[in-house]
Amino acid sequence: MREVFSEWYYPDDEVIAHIVTEGTIALDANALLDLYRVGAGRRQEILTALEKIGDRLFVPYQAAYEYQKNRTSALHDAQNTFDRVAEDLQKAAEDTLDTALKPIRDQAVRNEIREAFTGSFEAFKSKYAELRANHILDLKEARTNDPVRDELDRIASGPRLGKKPSAQSLQERREEAQKRIDEGRPPGNADAKNKADATGDYLVWAELLEHAKNANRPILFVTNDSKKGDWFSTVHGRIMGPLPELVAEMAGASPGHSYHQVMLDSLLWLTNKYINTKVSEDTIRTLRELKEITALRSAKQLTARQAALVAKLIAEASSSNDNNLRKLEKRLIAHAMEGITISSDEDEPRDVEIAMRFAQEEA
């Protein structure tokens, strides 16, 4: 059956190794935009790994266009998320502290606890500002001086960047994209209900098909677009591989060559294994967790168990014991930040991650 239904057979380790070491590795815009969502050290690891791919790296013109179009939004989102964390943490801490202090009748003790907590929180905010300066690109400055884009300009240039299609070719591709959307054919058909112009995915796909015809080698497409169902085949939420119909279509464009898809974290795991890149496990894990991060938990989202824990610690701290006050601070910060990933260079203090681990270990 394999000769007839080859698109239903997922590549084994030997085929994957061949694709990674010999094939074109094409990047979608969302993979490039992830560079703004990690810290400086992790960002450099990723860029170094991409550079090591060399001339086998390929960024479709449409993917590069979508990167440029969404770059400032990605910068803003990363900066805004980081900026909101300290504010939301302080609000969550103060609201919970106010509630938990009510049972303590001695006003002097209450004031002492509040002053001690406020002082320690100010130290945290100072360190947090330092982390922001070191790892988050400022939108105002990066609007014209973006070190990520500078690196991508260098890495994805010449034959590594797809050519801009002519007006006629672009129109033909858009018409084909709309036809496929109307017929429910991937990729891009899942965007029809959410986007006014849902042709972008097919425009990328058309370039990949064209590239495959000329490159005469396998293709690995790196996209984080895994949730819509028009790129990846999934079973009970688990990604199995590219949709069989995409594999079949690519086989028609490039007979005898394999096609596969992975997300950015998986690409870096594979390049570590097969071409000796040096991306840390922490960086790969951070990219994987990015897919699950939604938003910072606010004070209203603190669970009853968390509030009870804070109240218990404040009661223990009523003796003005500094150790208990520090424990209270770390636990409150950790619980308020549950669900947020903040990365930093391996050689720098990781106060927030330490606090989160502290909470998990002590709970």
Side-chain angles (χ1 to χ4, degrees), residues 278-296:
K278 304 296 183 182
V279 182
S280 68
E281 287 298 321
D282 280 349
T283 295
I284 293 172
R285 185 180 67 250
T286 297
L287 288 168
R288 189 174 299 124
E289 290 171 350
L290 279 175
K291 298 192 290 285
E292 306 302 326
I293 292 173
T294 53
L296 176 67

Side-chain angles (χ1 to χ4, degrees), residues 182-245:
D182 294 341
E183 296 172 352
R185 295 170 57 199
N189 56 299
D191 286 327
K193 56 186 177 183
N194 301 317
K195 296 182 179 180
D197 181 3
T199 62
D201 280 3
Y202 176 75
L203 296 180
V204 171
W205 180 241
E207 283 190 70
L208 291 178
L209 293 172
E210 185 67 26
H211 182 85
K213 292 177 183 178
N214 301 319
N216 194 32
R217 62 190 180 197
I219 289 186
L220 180 65
F221 182 44
V222 183
T223 179
N224 295 331
D225 207 350
S226 63
K227 301 296 184 183
K228 301 182 305 177
D230 58 352
W231 283 106
F232 288 95
S233 174
T234 60
V235 176
H236 297 292
R238 182 178 179 182
I239 296 175
M240 306 305 294
L243 289 172
E245 47 264 63

Side-chain angles (χ1 to χ4, degrees), residues 268-338:
L268 298 173
W269 186 87
L270 290 169
T271 59
N272 278 356
K273 183 175 182 179
Y274 294 118
I275 62 175
N276 199 34
T277 56
K278 304 296 183 182
V279 182
S280 68
E281 287 298 321
D282 280 349
T283 295
I284 293 172
R285 185 180 67 250
T286 297
L287 288 168
R288 189 174 299 124
E289 290 171 350
L290 279 175
K291 298 192 290 285
E292 306 302 326
I293 292 173
T294 53
L296 176 67
R297 289 193 174 195
S298 66
K300 292 181 180 179
Q301 294 172 299
L302 288 173
T303 66
R305 181 185 66 80
Q306 291 167 334
L309 173 63
V310 172
K312 177 176 180 292
L313 284 171
I314 290 177
E316 293 173 355
S318 61
S319 63
S320 301
N321 182 293
D322 286 345
N323 183 56
N324 282 336
L325 287 170
R326 276 192 170 65
K327 179 181 287 189
L328 165 63
E329 173 203 2
K330 288 183 178 180
R331 298 286 286 282
L332 187 56
I333 290 171
H335 284 295
M337 288 202 64
E338 191 174 73

Side-chain angles (χ1 to χ4, degrees), residues 23-42:
T24 293
I25 297 180
L27 302 177
D28 201 0
N30 48 52
L32 299 176
L33 292 170
D34 266 357
L35 290 165
Y36 296 105
R37 301 179 180 118
V38 297
R42 306 202 191 289

Side-chain angles (χ1 to χ4, degrees), residues 30-238:
N30 48 52
L32 299 176
L33 292 170
D34 266 357
L35 290 165
Y36 296 105
R37 301 179 180 118
V38 297
R42 306 202 191 289
R43 188 182 303 135
Q44 190 54 54
E45 287 183 11
I46 298 167
L47 288 167
T48 300
L50 295 180
E51 186 170 16
K52 191 163 185 178
I53 295 168
D55 287 339
R56 295 186 297 111
L57 188 73
F58 178 65
V59 179
Y61 170 85
Q62 180 65 25
Y65 166 75
E66 291 177 7
Y67 158 78
Q68 297 284 2
K69 179 181 177 181
N70 294 300
R71 181 184 69 91
T72 52
S73 293
L75 278 162
H76 174 269
D77 291 346
Q79 179 178 302
N80 189 54
T81 297
F82 209 90
D83 287 347
R84 285 174 50 199
V85 169
E87 296 173 6
D88 289 351
L89 278 174
Q90 185 164 5
K91 185 178 187 307
E94 289 175 351
D95 288 351
T96 307
L97 191 63
D98 287 341
T99 300
L101 280 174
K102 288 180 180 179
I104 301 177
R105 297 186 178 183
D106 190 322
Q107 185 65 42
V109 172
R110 290 169 61 178
N111 289 342
E112 192 171 349
I113 293 173
R114 188 182 299 279
E115 289 173 7
F117 184 82
T118 300
S120 60
F121 202 87
E122 287 300 317
F124 165 77
K125 287 167 62 177
S126 176
K127 179 58 184 178
Y128 199 81
E130 181 183 336
L131 285 170
R132 182 194 187 282
N134 290 337
H135 298 288
I136 300 297
L137 297 175
D138 183 76
L139 176 60
K140 184 177 181 180
E141 181 179 352
R143 186 175 64 87
T144 56
N145 183 25
D146 181 350
V148 174
R149 186 164 63 172
D150 290 345
E151 282 293 291
L152 291 176
D153 284 343
R154 184 177 60 82
I155 294 172
S157 61
R160 301 177 187 179
L161 180 64
K163 294 181 179 180
K164 182 179 181 179
S166 65
Q168 180 180 348
S169 177
L170 180 61
Q171 181 60 29
E172 290 172 353
R173 288 176 181 178
R174 287 191 180 279
E175 290 174 358
E176 175 64 17
Q178 190 57 54
K179 177 182 177 183
R180 293 169 69 115
I181 289 170
D182 294 341
E183 296 172 352
R185 295 170 57 199
N189 56 299
D191 286 327
K193 56 186 177 183
N194 301 317
K195 296 182 179 180
D197 181 3
T199 62
D201 280 3
Y202 176 75
L203 296 180
V204 171
W205 180 241
E207 283 190 70
L208 291 178
L209 293 172
E210 185 67 26
H211 182 85
K213 292 177 183 178
N214 301 319
N216 194 32
R217 62 190 180 197
I219 289 186
L220 180 65
F221 182 44
V222 183
T223 179
N224 295 331
D225 207 350
S226 63
K227 301 296 184 183
K228 301 182 305 177
D230 58 352
W231 283 106
F232 288 95
S233 174
T234 60
V235 176
H236 297 292
R238 182 178 179 182

